Amino acid sequence: DSLGARFSCPETLRSARDGNRGSDAAVYFSRGLLAAKQGRAADAATAYRGALALKPDYPTAYFNLGNAFVRLERLDLAVAAYGRAVVLHSAYADACCNLGNVLMRQERLDAAVQAFRRAMVLDPAIAAAWCNLSSALSEQGSSSLAITIARRAVAINPALTQAHYSLGQGLMKLDRHDEAAAACRRAIVLEPDCADAWSNLGLAQEGQGWFDEAFTGYGRAASVEANHALAHFNRGMLQLRRGHWADGWAEYEWRWRRKEMLSRDLPQPLWQGETLDDGVLLLHAEQGLGDTIHFCRYAALAAKRARVVLEVQRPLVRLLSGLAGVERVIAAGDPLPEFAAHCPLLSLPRIFGTTLDTVPGALPYLAAEPDRIGAWRERLLAGDFRIGVVWQGRPSYRWDHLRSAPLAAFAPLAAVPGVRLISLQKGHGVEQLDGLPAGMAVEVLGDDFDAGSDAFLDAAAVMMSLDLVVGVDTALLHLAGALGRPAWLALATRSHWAWMLERNDTPWYPTMRLFRQTMHGDWEAVFERMAEELQVNCRAVLPSI
């Protein structure tokens, strides 16, 4: 009765005969083994409990009971059963390993790492523990160590599919796509129907720029495991990147089946585009601030079919309060009004059948507060070509190491005669202002800039007095686009699906231009191209050139 590559199998009968009660315990244990083999996890759990009622110090019965609870998705009970097995048999490496697996599923990564390390100390040759420790470390962000551990698992047992998969997983986190693809292929050779390996191979091939092959990999994963949420989700994002939006929007709905996404548990039905007459439609944010700014535009379309209440992250309530078509903007966590149906914001493009030609693109759909515009216009010195810059996203975002650029990379812009760089950065990244290259100057707007609890109110007002906004893929660039301001977006070789592939423009924001890396990690070339564009196209406002 295998529990998958990550779990040890139930053990064969160990001696429990120390009198009649021990003999009876062995009978119950045997019944449990038979039930587990036949896939009757509930009956197996009952039998193992019967054995333990007669012989409470029976570690193997606790181990197999833990396996039965895993089958039944009773993870807390599984943790308790494996833990008891370890208490009774302190050298029980398989129990430590399986305990770590369940803790990983509960996202208790620190405890899982401890369990795997204990299993490895007890039995250095238990490849599953090395393999699963690699996965846990990868989830914690320790990718280099995860790769080292995974290579050890492969060395111990080259035939363990999961070891090669874990190696590929760690390599992917470091954007070592060629090596990751090779590791996934080795896993597939060992287990041709390993859906996880096919899915990760697709992800690695996307990183290599092999989009047709990546699409095939995701499709193979979904054919092997029809409900493989990550394969469907990744295939959806790939289709959106490629401009195949009808298929992409449908596949993107699989995001709700991933553990990382928590759908709203609301009694009202999900809205599918029907007219609600006087009924209220609750639209709610689901991802980052930039996504909310990006997709709140759909409220105006929804308002033609229902009365719209928009629930967003608390810092955005005031910024979005004037959004067309919205009766009321409320903060996530506040009491909800009466409503007839609800819909997450990023499902609206599917509902409205958005194509490249039908993107709701009327700009601006957000506005800065007039009083703030006037106040900041007085504070900003007139003259020269004023460029607002933003270089750092939220570090906790999984792909932030790709999208964020060092402020020093903006130096070619600062070197263009007549250009002033003005920082729009808040929080993370502002420390880079203290270590600028020689000759590079970036103005700051003071401690009171966007210092309140409401996000981006000052930034929006400042943008109305800037000639250009330049930055990486953060909420501030979405704000510039939503305000209809000229903006240049610097993109890594692998970027958000919304920016598609190869284009230097975007249907989402007609006033925005895209500048892409041509080599992984090469920000210098991106900003040098921008500087060249400034010198060619801004002569009218840069008379010193």
Side-chain angles (χ1 to χ4, degrees):
D1 179 38
S2 173
L3 287 173
R6 295 188 176 199
F7 286 84
S8 300
C9 299
E11 299 184 18
T12 56
L13 179 63
R14 288 183 176 179
S15 177
R17 294 180 176 85
D18 48 8
N20 290 336
R21 290 174 65 83
S23 179
D24 291 341
V27 171
Y28 275 105
F29 187 92
S30 295
R31 290 176 182 172
L33 287 177
L34 178 61
K37 185 175 182 179
Q38 294 174 341
R40 296 182 289 113
D43 292 339
T46 299
Y48 295 135
R49 279 173 160 163
L52 289 165
L54 295 168
K55 185 174 176 58
D57 59 344
Y58 197 171
T60 312
Y62 274 112
F63 175 81
N64 284 8
L65 178 61
N67 288 346
F69 284 143
V70 171
R71 288 292 194 192
L72 295 169
E73 295 293 325
R74 305 289 299 277
L75 299 187
D76 287 339
L77 292 177
V79 168
Y82 290 135
R84 185 60 183 163
V86 173
V87 168
L88 292 171
H89 179 27
S90 60
Y92 209 154
D94 282 340
C96 290
C97 187
N98 281 15
L99 173 61
N101 296 329
V102 179
L103 292 168
M104 271 195 71
R105 289 182 58 177
Q106 294 180 316
E107 299 185 1
R108 297 164 61 184
L109 293 180
D110 290 342
V113 166
Q114 291 179 10
F116 293 137
R117 290 190 183 278
R118 182 172 179 180
M120 291 157 50
V121 169
L122 293 171
D123 183 359
I126 185 169
W130 289 88
C131 168
N132 298 339
L133 175 60
S134 171
S135 294
L137 291 170
S138 184
E139 289 295 317
Q140 288 183 317
S142 301
S143 299
S144 295
L145 181 57
I147 291 169
T148 300
I149 297 295
R151 292 195 191 281
R152 177 63 176 164
V154 169
I156 294 171
N157 186 358
L160 182 60
T161 302
Q162 184 66 31
H164 296 283
Y165 170 79
S166 295
L167 176 58
Q169 185 181 41
L171 291 164
M172 274 298 304
K173 292 289 182 67
L174 294 180
D175 304 312
R176 293 161 62 175
H177 302 118
D178 293 349
E179 296 172 85
C184 290
R185 288 191 182 95
R186 286 192 290 271
I188 289 167
V189 168
L190 292 168
E191 189 179 334
D193 287 339
C194 181
D196 285 345
W198 279 108
S199 179
N200 259 19
L201 176 60
L203 199 60
Q205 289 172 325
E206 267 203 77
Q208 293 173 301
W210 299 351
F211 303 116
D212 290 340
E213 291 82 356
F215 184 79
T216 299
Y218 296 141
R220 182 62 183 272
S223 67
V224 169
E225 187 179 322
N227 292 323
H228 197 289
L230 185 58
H232 283 286
F233 175 67
N234 283 338
R235 185 166 65 175
M237 290 195 294
L238 175 58
Q239 290 295 76
L240 293 172
R241 283 190 179 97
R242 302 168 87 189
H244 303 163
W245 283 8
D247 183 39
W249 297 130
E251 291 279 69
Y252 192 63
E253 289 299 302
W254 280 82
R255 67 193 184 278
W256 298 114
R257 304 200 192 185
R258 300 175 62 225
K259 66 178 182 178
E260 293 87 350
M261 293 290 292
L262 297 176
S263 57
R264 295 295 293 273
D265 185 17
L266 297 170
Q268 291 85 347
L270 277 170
W271 189 60
Q272 300 299 330
E274 67 276 14
T275 299
L276 297 181
D277 297 322
D278 288 333
V280 170
L281 170 64
L282 175 68
L283 300 181
H284 44 90
E286 60 176 87
Q287 298 184 38
L289 300 180
D291 296 293
T292 302
I293 294 171
H294 187 172
F295 292 98
C296 69
R297 70 180 74 201
Y298 280 90
L301 292 180
K304 297 178 181 179
R305 305 181 189 183
R307 297 167 53 206
V308 172
V309 171
L310 178 63
E311 182 197 59
V312 300
Q313 299 92 332
R314 188 173 300 276
L316 293 182
V317 169
R318 186 166 169 180
L319 177 69
L320 304 187
S321 60
L323 196 63
V326 176
E327 290 191 0
R328 181 181 170 195
V329 180
I330 62 175
D334 284 354
L336 295 175
E338 293 292 328
F339 60 96
H342 71 99
C343 186
L345 281 181
L346 274 75
S347 290
L348 293 172
R350 175 189 60 83
I351 289 171
F352 286 103
T354 301
T355 67
L356 288 170
D357 298 323
T358 62
V359 170
L363 296 179
Y365 59 87
L366 294 183
E369 297 177 353
D371 290 347
R372 286 181 187 262
I373 295 174
W376 280 106
R377 190 160 286 161
E378 290 181 4
R379 288 177 60 174
L380 290 171
L381 295 175
D384 294 329
F385 192 80
R386 294 174 290 188
I387 301 179
V389 293
V390 56
W391 56 92
Q392 173 72 62
R394 174 172 48 89
S396 58
Y397 175 57
R398 179 180 178 183
W399 302 111
D400 187 63
H401 67 289
L402 294 181
R403 68 169 177 175
S404 292
L407 175 57
F410 288 66
L413 302 182
V416 176
V419 163
R420 291 167 52 197
L421 299 189
I422 300 171
S423 171
L424 301 176
Q425 190 74 37
K426 292 288 290 185
H428 299 290
V430 295
E431 69 282 354
Q432 296 182 41
L433 288 162
D434 296 328
L436 296 177
M440 181 180 180
V442 179
E443 300 174 31
V444 295
L445 297 174
D447 293 339
D448 61 333
F449 173 70
D450 272 334
S453 59
D454 299 301
F456 308 141
L457 297 182
D458 287 329
V462 169
M463 287 180 185
M464 301 308 296
S465 295
L466 298 178
D467 298 292
L468 180 65
V469 177
V470 174
V472 298
D473 186 6
T474 67
L476 279 168
L477 269 292
H478 286 282
L479 176 62
L483 293 169
R485 304 303 298 158
W488 288 1
L489 174 58
L491 293 174
T493 51
R494 180 176 177 82
S495 57
H496 192 278
W497 55 262
W499 311 124
M500 304 179 67
L501 299 171
E502 298 180 351
R503 295 178 63 134
N504 59 15
D505 66 344
T506 170
W508 297 108
Y509 301 114
T511 61
M512 182 177 288
R513 289 189 58 187
L514 311 181
F515 291 77
R516 300 176 184 271
Q517 287 181 352
T518 56
M519 292 181 59
H520 175 67
D522 185 7
W523 288 116
E524 182 179 354
V526 170
F527 290 101
E528 285 178 349
R529 290 204 309 274
M530 287 186 180
E532 292 171 359
E533 288 287 328
L534 278 178
Q535 296 187 59
V536 169
N537 296 322
C538 298
R539 293 181 186 278
V541 291
L542 298 176
S544 59
I545 293 180

